[in-house]
């Protein structure tokens, strides 16, 4: 796959500014200043194989550059990513974990911690608000809430399960005290 940077100044005629190849690109998120893109990979055929997270410098939108890469099993089949401060939070569909990556140094990101819990299996989306992670769990038909104030020791603090109204929840949005 590719990470494409598309110019939409002319809404009727978007054009590709640049692209960069990322094998099996799956999920993409950019930092607040749009200087760095984080690209997770997809390897659904074998979730036991290590996946990759690529850091791409997109400061020059016409000439993106590879900056760093992390390889780890928890990054296989990354489905959702979210940045808050100096941390990138990832979840993968075929896994039961939340991976917290320290991205303060974009050239040398590292996994801060991996939080495993069976309620996280099948996560399709996540959002972070004030050090609280909200995740959907497709297989558990639930929303899971994790406190990440202590990045090295996250805590599951709640979940909501309803097989009728949350049948395979795919996306979520946090608006104040409501999801």
């Amino acid at each position: 796959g590719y990470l494409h940077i598309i110019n939409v100044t002319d809404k009727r005629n978007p054009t590709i500014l640049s692209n960069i190849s990322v094998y099996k690109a799956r999920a993409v998120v950019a930092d607040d200043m749009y200087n760095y893109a984080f690209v997770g990979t997809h390897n659904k055929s074998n979730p036991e194989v290590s996946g990759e997270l690529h850091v791409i410098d997109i400061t020059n939108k016409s000439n993106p550059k590879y900056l760093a890469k992390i390889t780890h099993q928890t990054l296989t089949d990354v489905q959702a990513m979210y940045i808050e401060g100096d941390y990138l939070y990832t979840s993968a569909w075929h896994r039961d974990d939340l991976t917290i990556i320290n991205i303060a140094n974009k050239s040398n990101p590292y996994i801060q911690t991996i939080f495993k819990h069976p309620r996280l299996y099948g996560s399709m989306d996540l959002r972070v608000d004030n050090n609280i992670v909200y995740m959907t769990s497709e297989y558990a038909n639930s929303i899971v809430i994790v406190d990440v104030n202590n990045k090295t020791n996250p805590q599951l603090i709640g979940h909501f399960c309803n097989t009728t109204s949350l049948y395979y929840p795919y996306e979520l949005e946090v608006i104040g005290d409501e999801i």
Side-chain angles (χ1 to χ4, degrees), residues 135-160:
M135 300 174 71
T136 62
S137 174
E138 179 183 32
Y139 296 125
N141 296 314
S142 65
I143 305 290
V144 180
I145 303 169
V146 180
D147 182 334
V148 293
N149 275 293
N150 180 344
K151 302 294 187 256
T152 59
N153 190 25
Q155 299 294 314
L156 181 77
I157 58 173
H159 77 282
F160 174 78

mmCIF file with all atom_site columns, all heavy atoms in Angstrom, residues 135-160:
data_model
loop_
_atom_site.group_PDB
_atom_site.id
_atom_site.type_symbol
_atom_site.label_atom_id
_atom_site.label_alt_id
_atom_site.label_comp_id
_atom_site.label_asym_id
_atom_site.label_entity_id
_atom_site.label_seq_id
_atom_site.pdbx_PDB_ins_code
_atom_site.Cartn_x
_atom_site.Cartn_y
_atom_site.Cartn_z
_atom_site.occupancy
_atom_site.B_iso_or_equiv
_atom_site.pdbx_formal_charge
_atom_site.auth_seq_id
_atom_site.auth_comp_id
_atom_site.auth_asym_id
_atom_site.auth_atom_id
_atom_site.pdbx_PDB_model_num
ATOM 1   N N   . MET A 1 135 ? -12.423 2.229   23.965 1.00 0.00 ? 135 MET A N   1
ATOM 2   C CA  . MET A 1 135 ? -12.200 1.301   22.861 1.00 0.00 ? 135 MET A CA  1
ATOM 3   C C   . MET A 1 135 ? -13.472 0.511   22.577 1.00 0.00 ? 135 MET A C   1
ATOM 4   O O   . MET A 1 135 ? -14.207 0.174   23.494 1.00 0.00 ? 135 MET A O   1
ATOM 5   C CB  . MET A 1 135 ? -11.091 0.306   23.218 1.00 0.00 ? 135 MET A CB  1
ATOM 6   C CG  . MET A 1 135 ? -9.760  0.963   23.509 1.00 0.00 ? 135 MET A CG  1
ATOM 7   S SD  . MET A 1 135 ? -8.510  -0.210  24.101 1.00 0.00 ? 135 MET A SD  1
ATOM 8   C CE  . MET A 1 135 ? -8.164  -1.136  22.618 1.00 0.00 ? 135 MET A CE  1
ATOM 9   N N   . THR A 1 136 ? -13.679 0.218   21.303 1.00 0.00 ? 136 THR A N   1
ATOM 10  C CA  . THR A 1 136 ? -14.745 -0.713  20.959 1.00 0.00 ? 136 THR A CA  1
ATOM 11  C C   . THR A 1 136 ? -14.157 -2.112  20.913 1.00 0.00 ? 136 THR A C   1
ATOM 12  O O   . THR A 1 136 ? -12.987 -2.299  20.583 1.00 0.00 ? 136 THR A O   1
ATOM 13  C CB  . THR A 1 136 ? -15.358 -0.398  19.578 1.00 0.00 ? 136 THR A CB  1
ATOM 14  O OG1 . THR A 1 136 ? -14.344 -0.524  18.577 1.00 0.00 ? 136 THR A OG1 1
ATOM 15  C CG2 . THR A 1 136 ? -15.970 0.985   19.537 1.00 0.00 ? 136 THR A CG2 1
ATOM 16  N N   . SER A 1 137 ? -14.964 -3.092  21.247 1.00 0.00 ? 137 SER A N   1
ATOM 17  C CA  . SER A 1 137 ? -14.564 -4.482  21.122 1.00 0.00 ? 137 SER A CA  1
ATOM 18  C C   . SER A 1 137 ? -15.628 -5.194  20.303 1.00 0.00 ? 137 SER A C   1
ATOM 19  O O   . SER A 1 137 ? -16.741 -5.424  20.788 1.00 0.00 ? 137 SER A O   1
ATOM 20  C CB  . SER A 1 137 ? -14.419 -5.142  22.491 1.00 0.00 ? 137 SER A CB  1
ATOM 21  O OG  . SER A 1 137 ? -14.155 -6.517  22.328 1.00 0.00 ? 137 SER A OG  1
ATOM 22  N N   . GLU A 1 138 ? -15.267 -5.492  19.075 1.00 0.00 ? 138 GLU A N   1
ATOM 23  C CA  . GLU A 1 138 ? -16.216 -6.116  18.162 1.00 0.00 ? 138 GLU A CA  1
ATOM 24  C C   . GLU A 1 138 ? -16.680 -7.479  18.676 1.00 0.00 ? 138 GLU A C   1
ATOM 25  O O   . GLU A 1 138 ? -17.861 -7.788  18.664 1.00 0.00 ? 138 GLU A O   1
ATOM 26  C CB  . GLU A 1 138 ? -15.583 -6.264  16.784 1.00 0.00 ? 138 GLU A CB  1
ATOM 27  C CG  . GLU A 1 138 ? -16.496 -6.921  15.778 1.00 0.00 ? 138 GLU A CG  1
ATOM 28  C CD  . GLU A 1 138 ? -15.833 -7.128  14.445 1.00 0.00 ? 138 GLU A CD  1
ATOM 29  O OE1 . GLU A 1 138 ? -14.610 -7.352  14.395 1.00 0.00 ? 138 GLU A OE1 1
ATOM 30  O OE2 . GLU A 1 138 ? -16.553 -7.089  13.449 1.00 0.00 ? 138 GLU A OE2 1
ATOM 31  N N   . TYR A 1 139 ? -15.758 -8.286  19.156 1.00 0.00 ? 139 TYR A N   1
ATOM 32  C CA  . TYR A 1 139 ? -16.116 -9.642  19.567 1.00 0.00 ? 139 TYR A CA  1
ATOM 33  C C   . TYR A 1 139 ? -16.867 -9.687  20.888 1.00 0.00 ? 139 TYR A C   1
ATOM 34  O O   . TYR A 1 139 ? -17.639 -10.608 21.128 1.00 0.00 ? 139 TYR A O   1
ATOM 35  C CB  . TYR A 1 139 ? -14.871 -10.521 19.635 1.00 0.00 ? 139 TYR A CB  1
ATOM 36  C CG  . TYR A 1 139 ? -14.224 -10.695 18.292 1.00 0.00 ? 139 TYR A CG  1
ATOM 37  C CD1 . TYR A 1 139 ? -12.895 -10.384 18.106 1.00 0.00 ? 139 TYR A CD1 1
ATOM 38  C CD2 . TYR A 1 139 ? -14.956 -11.141 17.189 1.00 0.00 ? 139 TYR A CD2 1
ATOM 39  C CE1 . TYR A 1 139 ? -12.297 -10.532 16.854 1.00 0.00 ? 139 TYR A CE1 1
ATOM 40  C CE2 . TYR A 1 139 ? -14.367 -11.281 15.951 1.00 0.00 ? 139 TYR A CE2 1
ATOM 41  C CZ  . TYR A 1 139 ? -13.042 -10.975 15.787 1.00 0.00 ? 139 TYR A CZ  1
ATOM 42  O OH  . TYR A 1 139 ? -12.455 -11.109 14.568 1.00 0.00 ? 139 TYR A OH  1
ATOM 43  N N   . ALA A 1 140 ? -16.639 -8.701  21.753 1.00 0.00 ? 140 ALA A N   1
ATOM 44  C CA  . ALA A 1 140 ? -17.340 -8.670  23.039 1.00 0.00 ? 140 ALA A CA  1
ATOM 45  C C   . ALA A 1 140 ? -18.571 -7.774  22.998 1.00 0.00 ? 140 ALA A C   1
ATOM 46  O O   . ALA A 1 140 ? -19.256 -7.631  23.994 1.00 0.00 ? 140 ALA A O   1
ATOM 47  C CB  . ALA A 1 140 ? -16.396 -8.191  24.140 1.00 0.00 ? 140 ALA A CB  1
ATOM 48  N N   . ASN A 1 141 ? -18.846 -7.169  21.827 1.00 0.00 ? 141 ASN A N   1
ATOM 49  C CA  . ASN A 1 141 ? -19.990 -6.254  21.683 1.00 0.00 ? 141 ASN A CA  1
ATOM 50  C C   . ASN A 1 141 ? -20.002 -5.225  22.813 1.00 0.00 ? 141 ASN A C   1
ATOM 51  O O   . ASN A 1 141 ? -20.997 -5.056  23.503 1.00 0.00 ? 141 ASN A O   1
ATOM 52  C CB  . ASN A 1 141 ? -21.316 -7.028  21.663 1.00 0.00 ? 141 ASN A CB  1
ATOM 53  C CG  . ASN A 1 141 ? -21.405 -7.940  20.463 1.00 0.00 ? 141 ASN A CG  1
ATOM 54  O OD1 . ASN A 1 141 ? -21.096 -7.541  19.348 1.00 0.00 ? 141 ASN A OD1 1
ATOM 55  N ND2 . ASN A 1 141 ? -21.803 -9.174  20.693 1.00 0.00 ? 141 ASN A ND2 1
ATOM 56  N N   . SER A 1 142 ? -18.877 -4.544  22.982 1.00 0.00 ? 142 SER A N   1
ATOM 57  C CA  . SER A 1 142 ? -18.781 -3.660  24.134 1.00 0.00 ? 142 SER A CA  1
ATOM 58  C C   . SER A 1 142 ? -17.906 -2.445  23.878 1.00 0.00 ? 142 SER A C   1
ATOM 59  O O   . SER A 1 142 ? -17.162 -2.382  22.904 1.00 0.00 ? 142 SER A O   1
ATOM 60  C CB  . SER A 1 142 ? -18.240 -4.429  25.351 1.00 0.00 ? 142 SER A CB  1
ATOM 61  O OG  . SER A 1 142 ? -16.914 -4.843  25.131 1.00 0.00 ? 142 SER A OG  1
ATOM 62  N N   . ILE A 1 143 ? -18.022 -1.503  24.791 1.00 0.00 ? 143 ILE A N   1
ATOM 63  C CA  . ILE A 1 143 ? -17.122 -0.358  24.905 1.00 0.00 ? 143 ILE A CA  1
ATOM 64  C C   . ILE A 1 143 ? -16.296 -0.604  26.163 1.00 0.00 ? 143 ILE A C   1
ATOM 65  O O   . ILE A 1 143 ? -16.840 -0.940  27.215 1.00 0.00 ? 143 ILE A O   1
ATOM 66  C CB  . ILE A 1 143 ? -17.913 0.965   25.060 1.00 0.00 ? 143 ILE A CB  1
ATOM 67  C CG1 . ILE A 1 143 ? -18.911 1.159   23.918 1.00 0.00 ? 143 ILE A CG1 1
ATOM 68  C CG2 . ILE A 1 143 ? -16.953 2.141   25.212 1.00 0.00 ? 143 ILE A CG2 1
ATOM 69  C CD1 . ILE A 1 143 ? -18.301 1.447   22.585 1.00 0.00 ? 143 ILE A CD1 1
ATOM 70  N N   . VAL A 1 144 ? -14.993 -0.435  26.061 1.00 0.00 ? 144 VAL A N   1
ATOM 71  C CA  . VAL A 1 144 ? -14.080 -0.686  27.166 1.00 0.00 ? 144 VAL A CA  1
ATOM 72  C C   . VAL A 1 144 ? -13.405 0.642   27.524 1.00 0.00 ? 144 VAL A C   1
ATOM 73  O O   . VAL A 1 144 ? -13.024 1.406   26.641 1.00 0.00 ? 144 VAL A O   1
ATOM 74  C CB  . VAL A 1 144 ? -13.022 -1.743  26.780 1.00 0.00 ? 144 VAL A CB  1
ATOM 75  C CG1 . VAL A 1 144 ? -12.075 -2.015  27.921 1.00 0.00 ? 144 VAL A CG1 1
ATOM 76  C CG2 . VAL A 1 144 ? -13.704 -3.029  26.318 1.00 0.00 ? 144 VAL A CG2 1
ATOM 77  N N   . ILE A 1 145 ? -13.247 0.896   28.828 1.00 0.00 ? 145 ILE A N   1
ATOM 78  C CA  . ILE A 1 145 ? -12.661 2.151   29.292 1.00 0.00 ? 145 ILE A CA  1
ATOM 79  C C   . ILE A 1 145 ? -11.414 1.830   30.119 1.00 0.00 ? 145 ILE A C   1
ATOM 80  O O   . ILE A 1 145 ? -11.474 1.062   31.082 1.00 0.00 ? 145 ILE A O   1
ATOM 81  C CB  . ILE A 1 145 ? -13.685 2.951   30.121 1.00 0.00 ? 145 ILE A CB  1
ATOM 82  C CG1 . ILE A 1 145 ? -14.954 3.192   29.277 1.00 0.00 ? 145 ILE A CG1 1
ATOM 83  C CG2 . ILE A 1 145 ? -13.077 4.277   30.582 1.00 0.00 ? 145 ILE A CG2 1
ATOM 84  C CD1 . ILE A 1 145 ? -16.129 3.727   30.074 1.00 0.00 ? 145 ILE A CD1 1
ATOM 85  N N   . VAL A 1 146 ? -10.277 2.451   29.712 1.00 0.00 ? 146 VAL A N   1
ATOM 86  C CA  . VAL A 1 146 ? -8.987  2.176   30.347 1.00 0.00 ? 146 VAL A CA  1
ATOM 87  C C   . VAL A 1 146 ? -8.372  3.499   30.803 1.00 0.00 ? 146 VAL A C   1
ATOM 88  O O   . VAL A 1 146 ? -8.262  4.447   30.023 1.00 0.00 ? 146 VAL A O   1
ATOM 89  C CB  . VAL A 1 146 ? -8.024  1.472   29.363 1.00 0.00 ? 146 VAL A CB  1
ATOM 90  C CG1 . VAL A 1 146 ? -6.684  1.187   30.018 1.00 0.00 ? 146 VAL A CG1 1
ATOM 91  C CG2 . VAL A 1 146 ? -8.645  0.190   28.820 1.00 0.00 ? 146 VAL A CG2 1
ATOM 92  N N   . ASP A 1 147 ? -7.956  3.543   32.060 1.00 0.00 ? 147 ASP A N   1
ATOM 93  C CA  . ASP A 1 147 ? -7.267  4.701   32.617 1.00 0.00 ? 147 ASP A CA  1
ATOM 94  C C   . ASP A 1 147 ? -5.780  4.559   32.297 1.00 0.00 ? 147 ASP A C   1
ATOM 95  O O   . ASP A 1 147 ? -5.149  3.578   32.679 1.00 0.00 ? 147 ASP A O   1
ATOM 96  C CB  . ASP A 1 147 ? -7.485  4.761   34.128 1.00 0.00 ? 147 ASP A CB  1
ATOM 97  C CG  . ASP A 1 147 ? -6.843  5.958   34.793 1.00 0.00 ? 147 ASP A CG  1
ATOM 98  O OD1 . ASP A 1 147 ? -5.845  6.499   34.255 1.00 0.00 ? 147 ASP A OD1 1
ATOM 99  O OD2 . ASP A 1 147 ? -7.318  6.349   35.869 1.00 0.00 ? 147 ASP A OD2 1
ATOM 100 N N   . VAL A 1 148 ? -5.204  5.554   31.593 1.00 0.00 ? 148 VAL A N   1
ATOM 101 C CA  . VAL A 1 148 ? -3.789  5.497   31.228 1.00 0.00 ? 148 VAL A CA  1
ATOM 102 C C   . VAL A 1 148 ? -3.005  6.664   31.843 1.00 0.00 ? 148 VAL A C   1
ATOM 103 O O   . VAL A 1 148 ? -1.973  7.083   31.307 1.00 0.00 ? 148 VAL A O   1
ATOM 104 C CB  . VAL A 1 148 ? -3.597  5.458   29.689 1.00 0.00 ? 148 VAL A CB  1
ATOM 105 C CG1 . VAL A 1 148 ? -4.119  4.149   29.130 1.00 0.00 ? 148 VAL A CG1 1
ATOM 106 C CG2 . VAL A 1 148 ? -4.242  6.650   29.017 1.00 0.00 ? 148 VAL A CG2 1
ATOM 107 N N   . ASN A 1 149 ? -3.477  7.190   32.973 1.00 0.00 ? 149 ASN A N   1
ATOM 108 C CA  . ASN A 1 149 ? -2.725  8.244   33.652 1.00 0.00 ? 149 ASN A CA  1
ATOM 109 C C   . ASN A 1 149 ? -1.315  7.773   33.966 1.00 0.00 ? 149 ASN A C   1
ATOM 110 O O   . ASN A 1 149 ? -0.364  8.524   33.830 1.00 0.00 ? 149 ASN A O   1
ATOM 111 C CB  . ASN A 1 149 ? -3.443  8.688   34.930 1.00 0.00 ? 149 ASN A CB  1
ATOM 112 C CG  . ASN A 1 149 ? -4.494  9.726   34.636 1.00 0.00 ? 149 ASN A CG  1
ATOM 113 O OD1 . ASN A 1 149 ? -4.175  10.839  34.246 1.00 0.00 ? 149 ASN A OD1 1
ATOM 114 N ND2 . ASN A 1 149 ? -5.753  9.350   34.794 1.00 0.00 ? 149 ASN A ND2 1
ATOM 115 N N   . ASN A 1 150 ? -1.179  6.525   34.386 1.00 0.00 ? 150 ASN A N   1
ATOM 116 C CA  . ASN A 1 150 ? 0.137   5.913   34.595 1.00 0.00 ? 150 ASN A CA  1
ATOM 117 C C   . ASN A 1 150 ? 0.414   5.077   33.343 1.00 0.00 ? 150 ASN A C   1
ATOM 118 O O   . ASN A 1 150 ? -0.121  3.983   33.192 1.00 0.00 ? 150 ASN A O   1
ATOM 119 C CB  . ASN A 1 150 ? 0.127   5.053   35.856 1.00 0.00 ? 150 ASN A CB  1
ATOM 120 C CG  . ASN A 1 150 ? 1.460   4.400   36.117 1.00 0.00 ? 150 ASN A CG  1
ATOM 121 O OD1 . ASN A 1 150 ? 2.327   4.330   35.245 1.00 0.00 ? 150 ASN A OD1 1
ATOM 122 N ND2 . ASN A 1 150 ? 1.625   3.900   37.334 1.00 0.00 ? 150 ASN A ND2 1
ATOM 123 N N   . LYS A 1 151 ? 1.255   5.599   32.464 1.00 0.00 ? 151 LYS A N   1
ATOM 124 C CA  . LYS A 1 151 ? 1.490   4.946   31.164 1.00 0.00 ? 151 LYS A CA  1
ATOM 125 C C   . LYS A 1 151 ? 2.113   3.561   31.298 1.00 0.00 ? 151 LYS A C   1
ATOM 126 O O   . LYS A 1 151 ? 1.989   2.746   30.395 1.00 0.00 ? 151 LYS A O   1
ATOM 127 C CB  . LYS A 1 151 ? 2.396   5.814   30.287 1.00 0.00 ? 151 LYS A CB  1
ATOM 128 C CG  . LYS A 1 151 ? 1.868   7.203   30.023 1.00 0.00 ? 151 LYS A CG  1
ATOM 129 C CD  . LYS A 1 151 ? 0.609   7.186   29.203 1.00 0.00 ? 151 LYS A CD  1
ATOM 130 C CE  . LYS A 1 151 ? 0.196   8.584   28.824 1.00 0.00 ? 151 LYS A CE  1
ATOM 131 N NZ  . LYS A 1 151 ? -0.899  9.132   29.564 1.00 0.00 ? 151 LYS A NZ  1
ATOM 132 N N   . THR A 1 152 ? 2.786   3.289   32.400 1.00 0.00 ? 152 THR A N   1
ATOM 133 C CA  . THR A 1 152 ? 3.395   1.970   32.566 1.00 0.00 ? 152 THR A CA  1
ATOM 134 C C   . THR A 1 152 ? 2.473   0.986   33.284 1.00 0.00 ? 152 THR A C   1
ATOM 135 O O   . THR A 1 152 ? 2.803   -0.188  33.389 1.00 0.00 ? 152 THR A O   1
ATOM 136 C CB  . THR A 1 152 ? 4.725   2.067   33.335 1.00 0.00 ? 152 THR A CB  1
ATOM 137 O OG1 . THR A 1 152 ? 4.483   2.637   34.612 1.00 0.00 ? 152 THR A OG1 1
ATOM 138 C CG2 . THR A 1 152 ? 5.740   2.912   32.566 1.00 0.00 ? 152 THR A CG2 1
ATOM 139 N N   . ASN A 1 153 ? 1.323   1.464   33.746 1.00 0.00 ? 153 ASN A N   1
ATOM 140 C CA  . ASN A 1 153 ? 0.399   0.588   34.469 1.00 0.00 ? 153 ASN A CA  1
ATOM 141 C C   . ASN A 1 153 ? -1.062  0.988   34.208 1.00 0.00 ? 153 ASN A C   1
ATOM 142 O O   . ASN A 1 153 ? -1.766  1.406   35.122 1.00 0.00 ? 153 ASN A O   1
ATOM 143 C CB  . ASN A 1 153 ? 0.708   0.634   35.969 1.00 0.00 ? 153 ASN A CB  1
ATOM 144 C CG  . ASN A 1 153 ? -0.053  -0.419  36.735 1.00 0.00 ? 153 ASN A CG  1
ATOM 145 O OD1 . ASN A 1 153 ? -0.441  -1.444  36.191 1.00 0.00 ? 153 ASN A OD1 1
ATOM 146 N ND2 . ASN A 1 153 ? -0.278  -0.162  38.013 1.00 0.00 ? 153 ASN A ND2 1
ATOM 147 N N   . PRO A 1 154 ? -1.533  0.842   32.956 1.00 0.00 ? 154 PRO A N   1
ATOM 148 C CA  . PRO A 1 154 ? -2.927  1.173   32.650 1.00 0.00 ? 154 PRO A CA  1
ATOM 149 C C   . PRO A 1 154 ? -3.879  0.275   33.444 1.00 0.00 ? 154 PRO A C   1
ATOM 150 O O   . PRO A 1 154 ? -3.533  -0.854  33.805 1.00 0.00 ? 154 PRO A O   1
ATOM 151 C CB  . PRO A 1 154 ? -3.049  0.882   31.154 1.00 0.00 ? 154 PRO A CB  1
ATOM 152 C CG  . PRO A 1 154 ? -1.650  0.862   30.647 1.00 0.00 ? 154 PRO A CG  1
ATOM 153 C CD  . PRO A 1 154 ? -0.805  0.397   31.789 1.00 0.00 ? 154 PRO A CD  1
ATOM 154 N N   . GLN A 1 155 ? -5.081  0.794   33.703 1.00 0.00 ? 155 GLN A N   1
ATOM 155 C CA  . GLN A 1 155 ? -6.078  0.047   34.468 1.00 0.00 ? 155 GLN A CA  1
ATOM 156 C C   . GLN A 1 155 ? -7.421  0.048   33.744 1.00 0.00 ? 155 GLN A C   1
ATOM 157 O O   . GLN A 1 155 ? -7.903  1.110   33.350 1.00 0.00 ? 155 GLN A O   1
ATOM 158 C CB  . GLN A 1 155 ? -6.270  0.677   35.854 1.00 0.00 ? 155 GLN A CB  1
ATOM 159 C CG  . GLN A 1 155 ? -5.028  0.694   36.720 1.00 0.00 ? 155 GLN A CG  1
ATOM 160 C CD  . GLN A 1 155 ? -4.594  -0.703  37.107 1.00 0.00 ? 155 GLN A CD  1
ATOM 161 O OE1 . GLN A 1 155 ? -5.397  -1.530  37.521 1.00 0.00 ? 155 GLN A OE1 1
ATOM 162 N NE2 . GLN A 1 155 ? -3.304  -0.975  36.970 1.00 0.00 ? 155 GLN A NE2 1
ATOM 163 N N   . LEU A 1 156 ? -8.013  -1.137  33.583 1.00 0.00 ? 156 LEU A N   1
ATOM 164 C CA  . LEU A 1 156 ? -9.373  -1.231  33.074 1.00 0.00 ? 156 LEU A CA  1
ATOM 165 C C   . LEU A 1 156 ? -10.286 -0.680  34.164 1.00 0.00 ? 156 LEU A C   1
ATOM 166 O O   . LEU A 1 156 ? -10.257 -1.151  35.300 1.00 0.00 ? 156 LEU A O   1
ATOM 167 C CB  . LEU A 1 156 ? -9.744  -2.680  32.775 1.00 0.00 ? 156 LEU A CB  1
ATOM 168 C CG  . LEU A 1 156 ? -11.146 -2.885  32.220 1.00 0.00 ? 156 LEU A CG  1
ATOM 169 C CD1 . LEU A 1 156 ? -11.184 -2.486  30.752 1.00 0.00 ? 156 LEU A CD1 1
ATOM 170 C CD2 . LEU A 1 156 ? -11.569 -4.332  32.373 1.00 0.00 ? 156 LEU A CD2 1
ATOM 171 N N   . ILE A 1 157 ? -11.065 0.355   33.839 1.00 0.00 ? 157 ILE A N   1
ATOM 172 C CA  . ILE A 1 157 ? -11.930 0.952   34.863 1.00 0.00 ? 157 ILE A CA  1
ATOM 173 C C   . ILE A 1 157 ? -13.413 0.775   34.566 1.00 0.00 ? 157 ILE A C   1
ATOM 174 O O   . ILE A 1 157 ? -14.239 1.046   35.422 1.00 0.00 ? 157 ILE A O   1
ATOM 175 C CB  . ILE A 1 157 ? -11.603 2.447   35.096 1.00 0.00 ? 157 ILE A CB  1
ATOM 176 C CG1 . ILE A 1 157 ? -11.739 3.247   33.808 1.00 0.00 ? 157 ILE A CG1 1
ATOM 177 C CG2 . ILE A 1 157 ? -10.224 2.580   35.703 1.00 0.00 ? 157 ILE A CG2 1
ATOM 178 C CD1 . ILE A 1 157 ? -11.600 4.749   34.012 1.00 0.00 ? 157 ILE A CD1 1
ATOM 179 N N   . GLY A 1 158 ? -13.745 0.315   33.374 1.00 0.00 ? 158 GLY A N   1
ATOM 180 C CA  . GLY A 1 158 ? -15.154 0.092   33.098 1.00 0.00 ? 158 GLY A CA  1
ATOM 181 C C   . GLY A 1 158 ? -15.379 -0.492  31.717 1.00 0.00 ? 158 GLY A C   1
ATOM 182 O O   . GLY A 1 158 ? -14.496 -0.490  30.861 1.00 0.00 ? 158 GLY A O   1
ATOM 183 N N   . HIS A 1 159 ? -16.577 -1.016  31.543 1.00 0.00 ? 159 HIS A N   1
ATOM 184 C CA  . HIS A 1 159 ? -16.988 -1.478  30.218 1.00 0.00 ? 159 HIS A CA  1
ATOM 185 C C   . HIS A 1 159 ? -18.510 -1.497  30.157 1.00 0.00 ? 159 HIS A C   1
ATOM 186 O O   . HIS A 1 159 ? -19.198 -1.562  31.180 1.00 0.00 ? 159 HIS A O   1
ATOM 187 C CB  . HIS A 1 159 ? -16.404 -2.857  29.894 1.00 0.00 ? 159 HIS A CB  1
ATOM 188 C CG  . HIS A 1 159 ? -17.112 -3.985  30.565 1.00 0.00 ? 159 HIS A CG  1
ATOM 189 N ND1 . HIS A 1 159 ? -16.925 -4.306  31.887 1.00 0.00 ? 159 HIS A ND1 1
ATOM 190 C CD2 . HIS A 1 159 ? -18.026 -4.858  30.091 1.00 0.00 ? 159 HIS A CD2 1
ATOM 191 C CE1 . HIS A 1 159 ? -17.684 -5.336  32.204 1.00 0.00 ? 159 HIS A CE1 1
ATOM 192 N NE2 . HIS A 1 159 ? -18.362 -5.693  31.128 1.00 0.00 ? 159 HIS A NE2 1
ATOM 193 N N   . PHE A 1 160 ? -19.013 -1.415  28.945 1.00 0.00 ? 160 PHE A N   1
ATOM 194 C CA  . PHE A 1 160 ? -20.449 -1.479  28.704 1.00 0.00 ? 160 PHE A CA  1
ATOM 195 C C   . PHE A 1 160 ? -20.673 -2.504  27.614 1.00 0.00 ? 160 PHE A C   1
ATOM 196 O O   . PHE A 1 160 ? -20.086 -2.417  26.534 1.00 0.00 ? 160 PHE A O   1
ATOM 197 C CB  . PHE A 1 160 ? -20.990 -0.112  28.269 1.00 0.00 ? 160 PHE A CB  1
ATOM 198 C CG  . PHE A 1 160 ? -22.439 -0.149  27.871 1.00 0.00 ? 160 PHE A CG  1
ATOM 199 C CD1 . PHE A 1 160 ? -23.422 -0.171  28.838 1.00 0.00 ? 160 PHE A CD1 1
ATOM 200 C CD2 . PHE A 1 160 ? -22.801 -0.167  26.532 1.00 0.00 ? 160 PHE A CD2 1
ATOM 201 C CE1 . PHE A 1 160 ? -24.762 -0.220  28.482 1.00 0.00 ? 160 PHE A CE1 1
ATOM 202 C CE2 . PHE A 1 160 ? -24.142 -0.215  26.164 1.00 0.00 ? 160 PHE A CE2 1
ATOM 203 C CZ  . PHE A 1 160 ? -25.119 -0.235  27.139 1.00 0.00 ? 160 PHE A CZ  1
#
